[in-house]
Amino acid sequence: MSFLINNITRQIVRNHRQLLIQCSQFATDGKIIEEMTKKNKVVVFMKGNPEAPKCGFSNAVVQIFRMHGVDFEAHDVLADEELRQGIKDFSSWPTIPQVFINGEFVGGCDILLQMHKDGQLIDTLWKNAGIKSALAEDETEGSKDDEKSK
Amino acid sequence: MNILRIQIARLSSKMSEPIKTKINECLSRELSPIKLEVVNESYMHGVPKNSETHFKVLVVSEKFTGLSLIQRHRIVNNYLKEELKTEFPHALSIVAKNPTEYDGEYKLEPSPNCRGGFGK
């Protein structure tokens, strides 16, 4: 009897999965999110859009990339509840914003800010995505570029 | 006198800020930090008075030595997720350093201004 129930349950799960795969707009699906993260060299999941961020942390990320003169693709998680949860599950990271460089999860606002401050962001953009930061030339002048960017 | 003041402050925060207290206790226990600061920044956001939705933490621990920033953040997040479960805050900003990276003068900077997206 329990064997029968197990079989039926398995069948239901299988059908359900198939249904999820068929619904390509279903953002919680890890594969779809993975594709989104790889669609552009720099992808940001944020609240609001770059022109009107709706969270200070998201705004900070936008401003940092602007300083570096980096174009990025932004996704507004407030416009899509499935995506908001989906991206958190995908990267096992509980907060928004989330930054991906060359398809690799880099972190949220705190980490990006830290990378910006210690110059790591310039390196990561160049080594991982072949993007030259607008602040890269200032590198030779050492820590002065931090002052300038303010 | 100062000690008394600190003790009173601790006691009253335990009653009025249960989540902040849990964050403090959890990270003290798990990471044996040489410096731990938990700031409730909820007042900066469009939430009712005395809310505990937005936090910022500074943790300085030997356990972060040799770990990347992502790994450090994941450790803090995971301990707090385990501890707080459904009470995990809406926003958690983390500064995680190891003792050699920590300069005693370092002060946590307030988080960037809210832009009204909370709860939407």
Short mmCIF file of all heavy atoms in Angstrom, two decimals, chain B residues 30 35 38 50 80 93:
data_model
loop_
_atom_site.label_atom_id
_atom_site.label_comp_id
_atom_site.label_asym_id
_atom_site.label_seq_id
_atom_site.Cartn_x
_atom_site.Cartn_y
_atom_site.Cartn_z
N GLU B 30 28.88 31.99 19.00
CA GLU B 30 29.40 31.20 17.87
C GLU B 30 30.76 31.68 17.37
O GLU B 30 31.54 30.91 16.85
CB GLU B 30 28.41 31.22 16.70
CG GLU B 30 27.00 30.73 17.03
CD GLU B 30 26.97 29.24 17.34
OE1 GLU B 30 27.97 28.55 17.10
OE2 GLU B 30 25.92 28.76 17.85
N LYS B 35 35.45 41.93 19.11
CA LYS B 35 34.65 43.15 19.06
C LYS B 35 33.33 42.80 18.38
O LYS B 35 33.31 42.13 17.35
CB LYS B 35 35.41 44.22 18.25
CG LYS B 35 34.60 45.42 17.88
CD LYS B 35 34.59 46.46 18.96
CE LYS B 35 33.70 47.63 18.60
NZ LYS B 35 33.45 48.54 19.71
N VAL B 38 26.18 45.63 17.48
CA VAL B 38 24.94 45.41 16.74
C VAL B 38 24.13 46.70 16.82
O VAL B 38 23.82 47.18 17.91
CB VAL B 38 24.12 44.25 17.34
CG1 VAL B 38 22.85 44.02 16.53
CG2 VAL B 38 24.95 42.97 17.39
N ASN B 50 10.24 51.57 17.35
CA ASN B 50 10.73 50.39 18.08
C ASN B 50 10.74 49.09 17.26
O ASN B 50 10.80 48.00 17.82
CB ASN B 50 9.92 50.15 19.36
CG ASN B 50 10.01 51.33 20.30
OD1 ASN B 50 11.04 52.01 20.36
ND2 ASN B 50 8.93 51.59 21.02
N LEU B 80 22.72 33.33 12.11
CA LEU B 80 21.56 34.12 12.49
C LEU B 80 20.26 33.53 11.94
O LEU B 80 19.22 33.63 12.58
CB LEU B 80 21.73 35.57 12.05
CG LEU B 80 22.83 36.33 12.82
CD1 LEU B 80 22.94 37.77 12.32
CD2 LEU B 80 22.55 36.33 14.32
N SER B 93 23.17 44.37 7.47
CA SER B 93 24.43 44.83 6.88
C SER B 93 25.56 44.31 7.76
O SER B 93 25.49 44.41 8.98
CB SER B 93 24.40 46.35 6.83
OG SER B 93 25.63 46.85 6.37
#
